[in-house]
């Protein structure tokens, strides 16, 4: 998928489309489309908000978009994407929204047009789900059921 068309909603008026901010950036920075007169305040220590982007789109089947945090906001302010990475299904036609949370100890103000997240387009593989009926029917592996820090204890 090399082209992506956005359909802008009325409240997107005057904002810039998501874009790659460097030649080989993986993600397009996405901007907040809240009303200019109504900054969104993320309260300190866990305040969260569903931030509008003013955009809709129709991804090709076989692709998804992932809404990820920006590291600058995370490091400087403790502001991140709560459900990171947010999953945008290719059959979703609603407004793209970003769920932000403020882990910092100061309120954070989201102004209209602020770059609040980045969107990655990635391929998706759907599988046919089948049931393994017999108990112990999984193939053997060296790891077995070890997990959660089980390796490297020599
Ligand atoms: O950060 C996000 C995550 C999701 N969505 C939209 C697109 C996605 O296709 C839809 C559903 O997301 P998800 O499947 O994560 O949420 P759900 O709680 O399972 O809702 P649903 O029952 O509608 O699938 O919401 C966003 O706009 N931003
Ligand atoms: Mg879902």
């Amino acid at each position: 998928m090399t082209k992506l068309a956005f359909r802008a909603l009325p409240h997107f008026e005057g904002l810039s489309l998501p874009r790659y901010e460097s030649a080989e950036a993986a993600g397009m920075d996405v901007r907040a489309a809240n009303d200019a007169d109504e900054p969104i305040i993320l309260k300190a220590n866990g305040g969260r908000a569903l931030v509008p982007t003013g955009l809709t789109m129709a991804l090709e089947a076989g692709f998804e978009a992932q809404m990820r945090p920006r590291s600058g906001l995370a490091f400087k302010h403790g502001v991140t994407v709560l459900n990171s990475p947010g999953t945008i299904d290719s059959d979703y036609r609603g407004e793209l929204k970003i769920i932000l949370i403020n882990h910092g100890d100061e309120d954070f103000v989201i102004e209209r047009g602020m770059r609040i997240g980045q969107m990655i387009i990635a391929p998706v593989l759907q599988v046919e789900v089948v049931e393994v009926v017999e108990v112990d029917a999984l193939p053997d592996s060296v790891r077995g059921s070890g997990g959660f820090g089980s390796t490297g204890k020599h």
Side-chain angles (χ1 to χ4, degrees):
M1 174 175 191
T2 53
K3 282 201 176 166
L4 173 58
F6 290 102
R7 182 168 167 273
L9 299 169
H11 57 284
F12 184 78
E13 177 71 39
L15 293 177
S16 300
L17 284 170
R19 65 166 177 244
Y20 300 104
E21 299 286 347
S22 72
E24 297 182 18
M28 296 168 247
D29 283 0
V30 181
R31 293 170 188 271
N34 51 310
D35 201 286
D37 302 333
E38 287 179 34
I40 294 172
I41 297 169
L42 291 174
K43 288 285 195 191
N45 302 311
R48 61 183 193 245
L50 187 60
V51 184
T53 67
L55 293 170
T56 64
M57 65 183 182
L59 291 173
E60 280 175 29
F63 291 86
E64 63 159 338
Q66 299 175 8
M67 204 57 87
R68 298 192 197 162
R70 293 188 65 213
S71 59
L73 289 180
F75 180 60
K76 289 180 206 152
H77 304 286
V79 171
T80 188
V81 175
L82 176 58
N83 57 330
S84 182
T87 304
I88 317 290
D89 305 289
S90 63
D91 55 1
Y92 179 67
R93 301 290 180 268
E95 181 176 7
L96 303 174
K97 294 187 179 176
I98 305 184
I99 307 169
L100 292 181
I101 183 163
N102 180 6
H103 293 295
D105 51 18
E106 287 178 14
D107 290 358
F108 184 80
V109 181
I110 301 167
E111 306 281 3
R112 179 178 176 79
M114 189 179 270
R115 287 178 293 146
I116 51 168
Q118 56 182 322
M119 192 169 76
I120 277 77
I121 307 299
V124 165
L125 183 64
Q126 275 196 345
V127 295
E128 182 191 351
V129 177
V130 293
E131 189 178 0
V132 179
V133 183
E134 298 143 46
V135 179
D136 295 333
L138 299 179
D140 281 342
S141 75
V142 174
R143 172 185 285 275
S145 58
F148 316 101
S150 66
T151 60
K153 293 175 181 164
H154 302 300

